[in-house]
Amino acid sequence: MTDSLTVRDNRTGREYELAITDGTIRAADLKQIAVDGEVGLATYDPGFVNTASCRSSVTYIDGDAGILEYRGYPIEQLAEHSTFLEVAYLLINGELPTSAELEHWTHDITWHTFLHENVKQLIEGFRYDAHPMGMLMASVSALSTFYPEAKNITDADNRMLQITRLIAKMPTLGAFAYRHQLGKPYVYPDNRLSYTENFLAMLFKMSEPSYQADPRLVKALDILLILHADHEQNCSTNAVRSVGSSEVDPYSAVGAGIGALFGPLHGGANEAVLAMLRRIGSTDNIPAFIEGVKAGKEKLMGFGHRVYKNFDPRATIIKKACDDVFEVTGVNPLLKIAQELERIALADEYFVKRKLYPNVDFYSGLIYEALQFPPEMFTVLFAIGRTPGWLAQWNELVQDKDQKIARPKQIYTGIRTRDFVAIGDR
């Protein structure tokens, strides 16, 4: 066997040959490495730092080279030439659509943007100060009760219907959650508008007969949705796949993904960047802040990434989109602090040596704030953009014959085999 790994167990002197496939060995092959009478070896990998849980053809990332591709297409080309719905079609179906396919796809998405009135009543039942992500998570999960046929996940046509429904309804759910928090009346979808225009209208329309969003803002938001559409096996995608492995309906699986994205270590990073920039307050304070980071007293938010050990290609695209947005809204006063912080950090050997480059969160929060989104809506926008990726990964999981229900091993560290003591004797 040429593509193999020879392992010597120094406890027994035995050697084992493990097959190497696609740069990996199967964890189950380690079970044969055992001392007589004991359980075979397993891997210990908190956070799945070096463990592949699936085979996937959806998204490719080369962190060292700063490459991100959806179905083989570079993110730079998609952000420049595609719309979000076109990218969503690509992620779900594996190929870019023809004109006729895109027209049909757009029609189907548009047809399903409205919500059942009972879903609206569900959102109305939340407290006035409920977090929009909590409302989104609950309402997406609740859709499984409105479409009970969604549990028939082996039916390909049925899966596609649920996928279409959820991509269509996410902006409506997000906009209703936003309006609820502000105490404003909900705005129903306007199916004369594009996907992103419709979302902006549901968010910001007041008494005017029709809402006309600036095309530059529409394009910038569309790009942000594209950049967030998928990112391989991140925390929320892993949650979707893990819950989906139980063969539950897609609404429940995506609800789990939203819950994972809600966490500050995942979807809340761009909000943390804004908080950091406000705390710095002025470009004059940046040198002291940099020294604080080096001393471990401050955290440099928006720099570095678990996957990208070079630049984050999404950050470069967002940085360009900033110019178009600020041309319409006026320059965010935090931008100068961000630009100077980036300039100093990229010239400092301390950060260069550690490969700490700006990531997608460094500039996205500035754009969201310029578009008048409150910080608690940032993660909702992330979730709307990520929905096609979650569903593409779920759809792939359902059809993968290698997949089993997620059930990782553990290393037990507790006390063993104790006798019960009556309550009076404790």
Side-chain angles (χ1 to χ4, degrees), residues 8-27:
R8 179 184 174 86
D9 186 348
N10 291 324
R11 299 171 301 173
T12 63
R14 299 175 191 152
E15 290 191 349
Y16 304 84
E17 199 163 354
L18 310 181
I20 298 175
T21 306
D22 297 328
T24 66
I25 62 170
R26 284 188 173 271

Side-chain angles (χ1 to χ4, degrees), residues 377-422:
M377 273 297 290
F378 293 178
T379 324
V380 173
L381 297 166
F382 195 154
I384 293 169
R386 182 56 55 87
T387 298
W390 284 334
L391 290 168
Q393 299 273 353
W394 171 81
N395 197 35
E396 185 178 64
L397 162 83
V398 170
Q399 301 173 78
D400 187 349
K401 296 189 186 326
D402 279 350
Q403 286 299 304
K404 301 176 176 64
I405 185 169
R407 212 299 186 183
K409 294 182 74 67
Q410 68 165 20
I411 300 173
Y412 179 72
T413 60
I415 301 171
R416 290 287 317 282
T417 318
R418 295 197 280 181
D419 291 327
F420 181 82
V421 178

Side-chain angles (χ1 to χ4, degrees), residues 65-273:
I67 293 172
L68 171 61
E69 296 174 353
Y70 296 163
R71 301 288 192 180
Y73 291 95
I75 191 64
E76 294 85 355
Q77 294 181 23
L78 293 173
E80 182 178 358
H81 301 295
S82 287
T83 64
F84 175 66
L85 280 190
E86 189 175 18
V87 170
Y89 183 99
L90 169 68
L91 289 170
I92 299 298
N93 296 284
E95 298 291 344
L96 286 169
T98 64
S99 295
E101 288 169 337
L102 182 58
E103 183 179 353
H104 182 71
W105 171 248
T106 303
H107 172 270
D108 287 350
I109 294 291
T110 304
W111 180 263
H112 288 286
T113 53
F114 279 78
L115 298 172
H116 193 289
E117 282 295 293
N118 290 156
V119 180
K120 176 187 169 188
Q121 291 167 1
L122 171 69
I123 296 173
E124 287 174 336
F126 284 99
R127 278 176 54 97
Y128 69 92
D129 59 350
H131 197 290
M133 273 295 276
M135 288 189 273
L136 184 68
M137 179 168 52
S139 55
V140 166
S141 298
L143 289 180
S144 65
T145 67
F146 289 86
Y147 307 110
E149 72 276 14
K151 67 179 182 295
N152 300 322
I153 64 172
T154 58
D155 184 326
D157 291 337
N158 182 56
R159 288 200 307 270
M160 185 54 67
L161 173 59
Q162 311 312 323
I163 286 170
T164 304
R165 277 176 172 158
L166 190 47
I167 293 173
K169 296 180 190 305
M170 282 293 285
T172 312
L173 291 169
F176 279 20
Y178 170 75
R179 304 279 292 203
H180 178 84
Q181 191 187 42
L182 297 177
K184 293 180 179 179
Y186 304 163
V187 176
Y188 287 93
D190 183 347
N191 287 344
R192 297 169 298 178
L193 302 175
S194 72
Y195 187 86
T196 306
E197 287 174 323
N198 195 13
F199 181 42
L200 288 170
M202 288 189 289
L203 288 165
F204 300 125
K205 184 177 181 293
M206 291 304 292
S207 59
E208 62 270 38
S210 61
Y211 181 86
Q212 297 293 327
D214 190 292
R216 291 166 292 183
L217 300 184
V218 173
K219 177 63 176 175
L221 183 54
D222 213 51
I223 288 174
L224 284 166
L225 294 177
I226 289 171
L227 297 181
H228 284 122
D230 196 54
H231 208 240
E232 204 224 42
Q233 302 308 311
N234 52 82
C235 176
S236 58
T237 299
N238 178 67
V240 170
R241 278 183 169 266
S242 183
V243 171
S245 71
S246 72
E247 299 188 352
V248 76
D249 66 89
Y251 303 107
S252 299
V254 169
I258 295 171
L261 189 66
F262 200 174
L265 293 183
H266 192 5
N270 47 20
E271 186 177 347
V273 170

Side-chain angles (χ1 to χ4, degrees), residues 242-305:
S242 183
V243 171
S245 71
S246 72
E247 299 188 352
V248 76
D249 66 89
Y251 303 107
S252 299
V254 169
I258 295 171
L261 189 66
F262 200 174
L265 293 183
H266 192 5
N270 47 20
E271 186 177 347
V273 170
L274 290 180
M276 174 190 72
L277 294 175
R278 288 196 180 91
R279 194 168 68 254
I280 293 173
S282 165
T283 54
D284 295 336
N285 298 328
I286 292 177
F289 175 80
I290 291 290
E291 291 307 311
V293 172
K294 294 178 181 179
K297 298 177 181 178
E298 296 281 3
K299 289 193 72 173
L300 182 61
M301 306 303 298
F303 276 70
H305 194 278

